[in-house]
């Protein structure tokens, strides 16, 4: 049931980008667990296969390319892109974002740079945050240690990383995730600024 507080709260759209393996998921999980802010995740849709431990409706809505394209053609996505060339499609469901904003929540979109540009074109007051690695070597180490990609997928992610980092000027906030605790404190400081704005 909606409380007075939730109905008077201003809904917001937060866009978080950064190369795969930089630590977006790790930082955001901590932020969600802290429960300091009225955050809600936007579960994206994708045509990629689930990784071990990933659940439908929790990590992504996993769907076939046919279903994805049909839903895209019906206008169900706020944005959708092939994030890695020749790879899977990823997209943000319009309904999730609209519902969250209506409820006064802060909906977090963990999306790539193309997606971020598309969202800002449609929602100019979206808050954009870029998480950068301390170096490309550190990024490679993290991706390797995570061990969730094949060699080929890892190389695709590394190839994309430099071009994503080169576009980080587009974002209102930029956080370097070197020491996790320091990066987390910076993220919390950004959230507090958002809460005041
Ligand atoms: P993303 O969601 O951006 O793809 P993850 O949150 O899955 O990245 O992080 C990738 C890997 O890097 C994970 O194994 C995570 O534990 C690790 N990691 C995250 N932040 C740091 C950090 N500051 N220093 C070292 N390792 C980190
Ligand atoms: P992964 O396959 O590692 O889960 O995601 C790869 C990248 O796809 C992520 O780093 C994220 O930036 C991007 N991504 C995930 N969901 C979406 C989405 O809905 N839209 C867009 N544009 N990118 C997404």
């Amino acid at each position: 049931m909606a409380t007075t507080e939730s109905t008077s709260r201003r809904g917001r759209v937060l866009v978080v980008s950064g190369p795969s393996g930089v630590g977006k998921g790790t930082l955001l999980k901590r932020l969600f667990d802290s429960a300091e802010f009225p955050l809600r995740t936007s579960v994206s849709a994708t045509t990629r296969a689930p990784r071990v431990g990933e659940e439908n409706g929790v990590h992504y809505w996993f769907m076939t390319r046919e279903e994805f394209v049909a839903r895209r053609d019906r206008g169900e996505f706020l944005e959708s892109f092939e994030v890695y060339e020749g790879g899977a499609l990823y997209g943000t469901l319009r309904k999730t974002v609209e519902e969250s904003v209506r409820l006064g929540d802060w909906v977090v979109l963990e999306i790539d740079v193309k997606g971020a540009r598309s969202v800002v074109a449609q929602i100019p007051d979206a808050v954009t945050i870029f998480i950068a690695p301390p170096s490309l070597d550190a990024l490679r180490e993290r991706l390797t240690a995570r061990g969730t990609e094949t060699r080929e997928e890892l190389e695709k992610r590394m190839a994309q990383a430099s071009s994503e980092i080169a576009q980080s000027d587009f974002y209102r906030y930029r956080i370097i995730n070197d020491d996790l605790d320091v990066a987390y404190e910076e993220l919390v400081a950004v959230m507090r600024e958002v809460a005041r704005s």
Side-chain angles (χ1 to χ4, degrees), residues 24 44 48 51 60 79 84 90-92 111-112 157:
K24 301 183 295 294
S44 289
R48 83 152 163 75
R51 293 180 189 135
Y60 282 105
E79 58 79 34
Y84 305 108
Y90 294 81
T92 304
I111 60 177
D112 81 332
R157 283 165 165 71

Side-chain angles (χ1 to χ4, degrees), residues 69-81:
V69 170
R71 294 179 71 163
R72 187 182 64 191
D73 291 349
R74 287 202 295 269
E76 290 187 31
F77 291 111
L78 177 64
E79 58 79 34
S80 71
F81 287 95

Side-chain angles (χ1 to χ4, degrees), residues 139-165:
L139 183 66
R140 182 179 285 278
E141 272 170 32
R142 285 179 200 175
L143 271 175
T144 308
R146 189 173 71 182
T148 45
E149 275 78 29
T150 62
R151 185 93 228 145
E152 188 192 347
E153 284 169 345
L154 188 147
E155 290 309 329
K156 266 191 194 171
R157 283 165 165 71
M158 284 305 299
Q160 192 94 326
S162 313
S163 103
E164 287 179 321
I165 294 165

Side-chain angles (χ1 to χ4, degrees), residues 168-179:
S168 64
D169 280 0
F170 170 74
Y171 290 76
R172 192 183 307 174
Y173 301 100
R174 190 169 183 274
I175 295 170
I176 298 177
N177 181 20
D178 187 356
D179 179 280

Side-chain angles (χ1 to χ4, degrees), residues 1-191:
M1 201 177 78
T3 62
T4 315
E5 192 200 350
S6 70
T7 47
S8 60
R9 223 165 46 195
R10 179 177 153 214
R12 292 164 198 269
V13 176
L14 310 183
V15 175
V16 179
S17 303
S20 179
V22 74
K24 301 183 295 294
T26 307
L27 285 164
L28 288 174
K29 182 174 185 308
R30 241 207 226 188
L31 195 63
F32 273 86
D33 289 350
S34 82
E36 186 180 339
F37 308 97
L39 301 172
R40 183 192 275 239
T41 27
S42 155
V43 179
S44 289
T46 184
T47 63
R48 83 152 163 75
R51 293 180 189 135
V52 175
E54 282 186 337
E55 279 178 58
N56 193 39
V58 177
H59 298 92
Y60 282 105
W61 294 106
F62 294 100
M63 53 184 75
T64 61
R65 208 169 180 97
E66 290 70 33
E67 183 184 356
F68 193 109
V69 170
R71 294 179 71 163
R72 187 182 64 191
D73 291 349
R74 287 202 295 269
E76 290 187 31
F77 291 111
L78 177 64
E79 58 79 34
S80 71
F81 287 95
E82 191 181 81
V83 172
Y84 305 108
E85 212 184 310
L89 294 167
Y90 294 81
T92 304
L93 288 158
R94 196 180 285 281
K95 200 171 135 198
T96 311
V97 175
E98 285 172 356
E99 227 169 67
S100 301
V101 171
R102 190 172 51 76
L103 290 170
D105 289 335
W106 299 8
V107 60
V108 179
L109 314 185
E110 202 185 318
I111 60 177
D112 81 332
V113 179
K114 297 188 285 282
R117 288 182 184 277
S118 170
V119 168
V120 169
Q122 300 172 73
I123 308 170
D125 67 351
V127 176
T128 53
I129 304 165
F130 190 88
I131 314 288
S135 69
L136 287 176
D137 284 346
L139 183 66
R140 182 179 285 278
E141 272 170 32
R142 285 179 200 175
L143 271 175
T144 308
R146 189 173 71 182
T148 45
E149 275 78 29
T150 62
R151 185 93 228 145
E152 188 192 347
E153 284 169 345
L154 188 147
E155 290 309 329
K156 266 191 194 171
R157 283 165 165 71
M158 284 305 299
Q160 192 94 326
S162 313
S163 103
E164 287 179 321
I165 294 165
Q167 296 180 72
S168 64
D169 280 0
F170 170 74
Y171 290 76
R172 192 183 307 174
Y173 301 100
R174 190 169 183 274
I175 295 170
I176 298 177
N177 181 20
D178 187 356
D179 179 280
L180 186 63
D181 291 336
V182 173
Y184 179 68
E185 286 312 315
E186 284 180 28
L187 183 59
V188 169
V190 166
M191 292 295 127

